[in-house]
Structures are given as C-alpha cells and as structure tokens.
C-alpha cells in the first residue's frame, strides 16, 4: 500500500469515492430543498390581529437593507470561497467534501426549521398594518374585531412570517459554520494567546449580527425574531460542524474525522507500513515546538501514533 501523505487525496484521485460514500447525505440535501420550497409556498397561519394590537404593528414599510439574494451570497458563497481556498492550499478532498456538506446542511436545516416555525406561528411583522391596509384605512370585523385586510395577498402572506428571522438564521448558520471552520484551521485554541486569531473568527459572526440588526432597522422583524433566528442558526451550525470535524479546541481540530479515520484504517490494513505512514506525515507537516505540551496529551489518544505529526502545519 502506498505511503499516505498530506495532499495525496485530491478531488481527481478520491473525489468520486468520497461522494459515493455520502450519497445518502446528498439525497437528504435534495429532500431538504424540496421541503424548503413547499414551506415557502403554503399559506402561513393567520394569527388573530385585533384593533388594539395594531399599535405595535404600524411601523412604515421599507425596502430590505440586505436583499434576499444577498443572504445566500453571505451564508453560502462566502464560506464556500474560504473552503475552496483552503483546499487549493492543502489538497485534501476529505476536508473539502465534508466542509461543503456540513455548510449546506447547516443552511438548509436552519432554513427548514425557520420556515416551518414561521408558518406555524404566523406572527405579524412590525409593518403589518401597512401590508394589510395600504391605503391607511383599517377595516375590522364588527364582531371579532379581527383585521379584514384589503392589501395584496402575497404581501399580506409575507406579513405573517415574522418569527423567527430567516435572514438571521441563514446568516448565523452559514457564517457560524465558517467561524468554527476557521477556528479549527488557524488553531485559535492553541494556548498561545494570539487574540488576533479570535478577531478573524469573530468577523463572520459580526457580519451575521449586522444582517440581523438590519432586519430590526428595516421594521421587517421584532428583536425577538432576530434573537431566536441567530440562536437557531448557531445551534444548527454547531451540530453540523461537529458531525464532520472535531471540536476546534482539540489537538486534531484542524482536520475532518474522515481524514484521521482513513489514516487509522490504512495502518490497520498494512501494519508494516505504520512507520512509513508516520514518517510521511512528519515530513509533510511542520511541527511547532511550542505545541509539545499538546502533543504530549495525544499519547493517551487512541490514534496517537497517527496524529503525532499532524498538529503543527495548520497553526498559521
């Protein structure tokens, strides 16, 4: 069996094999897309909105500071760009495939949960009055005092989708995944106290937070909607990231689980090449002397013979 080296597992050499292994995951992604489309088509629950409730729902209708088309650009395309750049640096198809899969799962699962809750809750947006009565003349049922909207049906439908914020949940799902991905790659928790690394990790979260703030400023959402959307997106992205990668604070947090499993399996298949595998890893990865304390802890890890040489290179 050939020696295993960093950069030896590219899209061309192992891409098809890795994709086939996770074929069922890609099928589930397609199913999530179908569910997402259905949730946006169906009519949301129309919550009772009485005369007295209109006091907090008369904010002016404004355009989106962050348009709908910009959310996928920030939540998907920006993290995807970073993932591709890292692939061209390291040439690891395991990292590329699992990062893309985790990112898409983060965004789509967040989107499905968000839109399902939107349709079920049917909370009116802060500008609901002007959506319901574009002429400014309120019409209410004489008995129940519920609104009798005279506006455009599609605009009214969108007015019942305030909770939680979709812009915010998508942004925190994609950019939250990116923050976790970067924290593992630049080894934020290397115990060397480089605060500059934290600034890099916080930058995607700041962008996501500004997207959420814009939803309140534009009167498309209440602050509770944005808070819930951000919490939902961060939670889902954390689960999806840990499904494919170790926690960023772990010694082997820079690489995907599949990479280390592949190394372990290769050594079990051909134990005689174990020393060659370890030597190849040591030659391919620069070990920072300041990480010796962390490396000593790896001796108690099941796969420590494999990981001894994989801790330093990704500390830039």
């Amino acid at each position: 069996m050939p020696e295993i080296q960093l950069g030896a597992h590219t899209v061309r050499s192992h891409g098809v094999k890795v994709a086939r292994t996770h074929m069922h995951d890609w099928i589930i992604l397609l199913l999530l897309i179908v569910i997402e489309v259905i949730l946006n088509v169906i009519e949301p629950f129309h919550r009772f909105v009485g005369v007295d409730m209109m006091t907090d729902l008369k904010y002016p209708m404004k355009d989106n500071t962050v348009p709908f088309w910009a959310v996928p650009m920030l939540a998907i395309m920006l993290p995807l760009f970073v993932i591709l750049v890292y692939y061209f640096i390291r040439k690891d198809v395991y990292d590329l495939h699992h990062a893309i899969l985790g990112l898409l799962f983060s965004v789509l699962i967040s989107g499905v949960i968000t839109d399902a809750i939107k349709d079920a809750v049917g909370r009116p947006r802060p500008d609901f009055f002007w959506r319901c009565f574009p002429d400014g003349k309120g019409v209410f049922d004489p008995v129940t005092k519920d609104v009798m909207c005279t506006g455009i049906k599609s605009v009214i439908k969108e007015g019942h989708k305030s909770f939680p914020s979709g812009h915010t949940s998508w942004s925190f799902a994609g950019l939250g995944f990116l923050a976790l991905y970067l924290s593992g790659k630049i080894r934020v928790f290397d115990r060397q106290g480089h605060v500059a690394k934290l600034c890099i990790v916080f930058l995607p979260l700041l962008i996501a937070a500004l997207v959420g703030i814009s939803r309140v400023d534009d009167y498309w959402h209440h602050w509770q909607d944005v808070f819930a959307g951000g919490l939902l997106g961060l939670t889902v992205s954390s689960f999806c990231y840990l499904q494919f990668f170790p926690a960023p604070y772990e010694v082997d947090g820079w690489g995907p689980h599949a990479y280390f499993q592949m190394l372990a399996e290769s050594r079990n298949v051909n134990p005689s090449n174990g020393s060659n595998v370890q030597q190849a890893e040591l030659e391919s990865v620069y070990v920072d002397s300041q990480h010796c304390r962390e490396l000593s802890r790896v001796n108690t890890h099941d796969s420590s013979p494999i990981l001894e040489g994989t801790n330093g290179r990704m500390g830039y």
Side-chain angles (χ1 to χ4, degrees):
M1 185 175 180
E3 294 181 356
I4 299 172
Q5 299 180 13
L6 297 178
H9 302 83
T10 63
V11 172
R12 179 175 297 181
S13 62
H14 293 77
V16 175
K17 178 182 178 181
V18 175
R20 285 178 178 175
T21 303
H22 292 269
M23 185 62 66
H24 60 287
D25 292 318
W26 290 102
I27 294 175
I28 293 176
L29 276 178
L30 295 177
L31 178 61
L32 289 174
I33 293 175
V34 174
I35 296 175
E36 177 72 5
V37 172
I38 295 175
L39 290 173
N40 279 276
V41 171
I42 63 177
E43 192 73 21
F45 173 67
H46 286 210
R47 179 179 295 274
F48 173 84
V49 183
V51 179
D52 298 336
M53 300 171 61
M54 279 296 182
T55 304
D56 297 327
L57 303 176
K58 286 188 176 182
Y59 290 91
M61 288 187 64
K62 297 178 60 178
D63 293 331
N64 293 285
T65 301
V66 180
F68 289 101
W69 60 265
V71 177
M73 298 295 292
L74 293 172
I76 299 178
M77 299 308 296
L78 178 58
L80 183 60
F81 174 77
V82 175
I83 293 170
L84 289 174
V85 169
Y86 181 77
Y87 170 76
F88 285 112
I89 294 174
R90 189 171 185 270
K91 298 292 194 303
D92 180 13
V93 68
Y94 293 100
D95 187 277
L96 175 67
H97 179 271
H98 294 332
I100 293 177
L101 198 59
L103 172 65
L104 294 179
F105 265 116
S106 296
V107 174
L108 287 174
I109 291 177
S110 296
V112 168
I113 296 177
T114 298
D115 288 326
I117 297 176
K118 279 178 178 285
D119 290 339
V121 174
R123 185 183 190 185
R125 296 185 185 273
D127 59 0
F128 181 78
F129 177 87
W130 297 103
R131 291 175 179 271
C132 189
F133 309 116
D135 58 359
K137 299 178 180 179
V139 180
F140 300 87
D141 186 279
V143 178
T144 64
K145 304 302 181 181
D146 191 11
V147 293
M148 300 179 64
C149 295
T150 59
I152 301 174
K153 185 176 181 180
S154 60
V155 177
I156 299 172
K157 174 183 175 181
E158 191 63 31
H160 284 279
K161 294 185 175 184
S162 185
F163 183 88
S165 169
H167 273 58
T168 310
S169 64
W170 270 58
S171 297
F172 272 96
L175 295 174
F177 186 92
L178 176 60
L180 289 169
Y181 184 80
L182 288 173
S183 63
K185 294 299 176 286
I186 64 178
R187 299 195 60 80
V188 172
F189 305 104
D190 58 2
R191 299 187 180 183
Q192 296 184 33
H194 296 305
V195 181
K197 291 183 177 182
L198 285 176
C199 295
I200 296 175
V201 172
F202 287 151
L203 181 58
L205 299 178
L206 174 61
I207 296 174
L210 291 176
V211 172
I213 292 172
S214 73
R215 305 307 289 163
V216 178
D217 292 344
D218 294 338
Y219 308 122
W220 277 66
H221 287 284
H222 309 274
W223 72 265
Q224 299 95 331
D225 309 334
V226 172
F227 180 82
L231 183 61
L232 191 155
L234 276 179
T235 302
V236 172
S237 64
S238 299
F239 274 101
C240 291
Y241 180 83
L242 294 176
Q243 186 71 15
F244 297 101
F245 294 86
Y249 54 80
E250 294 186 6
V251 175
D252 55 356
W254 58 268
H257 293 300
Y259 177 76
F260 300 109
Q261 291 172 359
M262 176 271 298
L263 291 180
E265 291 172 1
S266 65
R267 293 195 65 194
N268 292 334
V269 170
N270 195 346
S272 63
N273 274 354
S275 60
N276 292 334
V277 171
Q278 182 177 349
Q279 182 63 27
E281 289 290 276
L282 288 171
E283 292 175 354
S284 302
V285 183
Y286 171 74
V287 180
D288 191 339
S289 61
Q290 295 183 358
H291 291 161
C292 290
R293 181 174 60 181
E294 291 185 359
L295 288 175
S296 64
R297 294 190 296 113
V298 184
N299 293 330
T300 61
H301 196 278
D302 292 342
S303 56
S304 58
I306 299 173
L307 301 181
E308 284 180 1
T310 59
N311 190 39
R313 177 178 176 181
M314 308 319 300
Y316 60 82

